[in-house]
Amino acid sequence: QVQLVESGGGSVQAGGSLRLSCAASGRTFSSYCMGWFRQAPGKEREFVAYVSGSGGSTDYADSVKGRFTISRDNAKNTVYLQMNSLKPEDTAVYYCAAKGAVFCSTYASFRGYNYWGQGTQVTVSS
């Protein structure tokens, strides 16, 4: 069982930065790949970024590539999402999610994740 708690959301002007954190419980954090997803009002939850259990592999949605960076610190059971050059269209509730490493080939689909945080709001104003 894994419990996830996000933090770091807030309001920022376009062009600004935020860093989201997701703290996980449990002693086998490195055996899970982690994803960040977001959901804007009236829209489906969408993939943002992925990091493998070791942290050695990452991937991003095209819409955030070059602006967002995902990383993890397995010693602290925490995954991060550094968001730079934020745009109004980045406004959404951001969720972190975890699933076992054997299932990580489908990391971009939210349906495969077993564990989810409660979400943190990110609002970017123009």
Side-chain angles (χ1 to χ4, degrees):
Q1 192 78 2
V2 176
Q3 292 184 320
L4 304 173
V5 179
E6 300 102 335
S7 61
S11 297
V12 65
Q13 289 192 326
S17 298
L18 285 172
R19 189 174 84 152
L20 306 184
S21 298
C22 173
S25 65
R27 293 174 288 181
T28 58
F29 180 62
S30 62
S31 68
Y32 293 90
C33 61
M34 301 296 295
W36 283 98
F37 291 80
R38 66 187 181 186
Q39 190 165 19
K43 295 188 176 181
E44 192 172 84
R45 193 167 297 191
E46 65 173 359
F47 168 73
V48 174
Y50 147 85
V51 63
S52 62
S54 67
S57 179
T58 60
D59 197 16
Y60 300 89
D62 288 343
S63 59
V64 307
K65 206 167 286 185
R67 300 188 297 123
F68 290 12
T69 302
I70 189 171
S71 62
R72 67 190 295 161
D73 184 338
N74 286 341
K76 296 182 178 179
N77 279 16
T78 301
V79 63
Y80 304 98
L81 185 68
Q82 178 66 45
M83 306 186 295
N84 298 329
S85 303
L86 282 161
K87 304 176 181 180
E89 51 264 44
D90 295 318
T91 295
V93 177
Y94 283 70
Y95 300 89
C96 68
K99 62 178 175 178
V102 69
F103 302 111
C104 289
S105 61
T106 56
Y107 57 80
S109 172
F110 70 87
R111 291 180 175 86
Y113 286 81
N114 307 98
Y115 306 104
W116 290 86
Q118 82 287 355
T120 186
Q121 176 72 45
V122 171
T123 302
V124 184
S125 59
S126 57

